[in-house]
Amino acid sequence: MTENKGFSSNFGAIMAAVGSAVGLGNIWRFPYICGKYGGGAFLIVYLCFVFCIGMVLMMTEFVIGRRSQHTPVAAYPILRPDKKGWRYVGIFGMVTCFLILSLYLVISGWTLNYVVDAASGTLAQLDSSGLELHFKAFSESAVRPIVFLAVFALLTVAVILGGVQKGVEKVSKLMMPILVVLLVVLCVRSVTMPGASAGLDYLFKPDFSKLTGQGVLAALGQALFSLSVGMGVMIVYGSYIPRNDNLLKTSIWITVCDTLIALCAGVAIFPAVFSCGLEPTGGPGLVFKVLPTVFNSMNPSSGFMVGTVFSVIFFVLLSMAALTSAISLLEALVAWGSEYPNRKRSVSAIVLALCVVVLGGLCSMSVGGLSGVKVAGLGLFDLVDKLTAVYLPPLCALLTVAFIGWVMPAADIKDELSNHGTLKVGYFKAFYFLARYVAPLALLLVLVTGIVNG
Ligand code: PHE
């Protein structure tokens, strides 16, 4: 991987990483768990985790990637040639990326289908029970979700085939600003609805009685998932970051943007949901059932269908957020594939995408026709969901941060963070302490609790 294959500028690097970070997690998960676990109280804990652990992991991954100029599989042995076994941590991360991507593409396909359903007016004709039935019939059908999954995979591959600069970077630079504009439009609409303040209270009013131990762990899990750290995506993006970039500043930018967008998503969603007297929820229930009901309530009985316009805006926004995240996951896998001699990037991209579509297709069918097929007592969709939500990312994150804290020489880390001594790194001691003790302990706790709770 030579340097001219990386991002062209600091701005490009930030946009690509923000593109990876901002995804379904920001829009349908963060606002809901924030409200559920005490609004402002949860937010305080979340911000601590995001900056003290999530951002440390991001810097960790950037250091590993930029210093080695390789994907995780090759990076670890390059940085510690005497400890070749660490390559398995890299492979483990890539397997995690593969599984996350399979599921991510299924849900992204649903989102794309809803762009079509919103634009064609199908959603506007349904009441809330009709929307419920519509989602059930769609997600359980054998063909349509897989067609949309394949279309979404095709879009992702098309961007990857464009290359790192002309594909990944260019698309992120285009889509992220559009996403922000669309989000602001939705925010303005949401907060100007009657009774919107109940939604803002739900999101921001601190209620420490709701902040349970489970809420604290959810905050850490969400911080990692939202920043796309733990499975090696940011190691690959780190290998594309220009040599003269300040890794601390870049990480701060990405973390701040990701967090602000998650907060804006909450403002765009919950005031409107409360204004319509609906129950707050998260995940597919929120996006595919509750929100279309909200949009429909904006449509007057005759004339211009305002709600339909907002509905299309929302699903386009969600699809764009999902696309830039899916791109980063596939890019990580493709970069790994291309590290092998005589393997073309384009061939890696197509073969890997096909594999992802096959697993994603099976996950999709496990919601409908194949729902009777169980592995370890769970349908395939639920199994992959559980693995990628509870077990694999914290374990992978733990190993990654342990490498920086305990295996990679501290002098090398400092050298990379300071751009070979040209930047001041007064924060190094604090960073090293967090990477060596705080982050591993917190991750261990998340992991053990996840295992104990099944
Ligand atoms: N950060 C993305 C989101 O919030 C998900 C993601 C996780 C993307 C890991 C890449 C790697 O939805």
Side-chain angles (χ1 to χ4, degrees), residues 27-28 111 114 282-292 314-315 318:
I27 297 167
W28 84 20
T111 310
Y114 268 65
L286 172 73
V287 171
F288 301 118
K289 296 174 206 162
V290 174
L291 286 178
F314 175 77
F315 286 111
L318 199 61

Side-chain angles (χ1 to χ4, degrees), residues 63-80:
V63 164
I64 295 173
R66 197 174 66 171
R67 195 157 185 90
S68 66
Q69 291 292 300
H70 278 81
T71 70
V73 181
Y76 291 109
I78 288 177
L79 300 176
R80 274 303 299 261

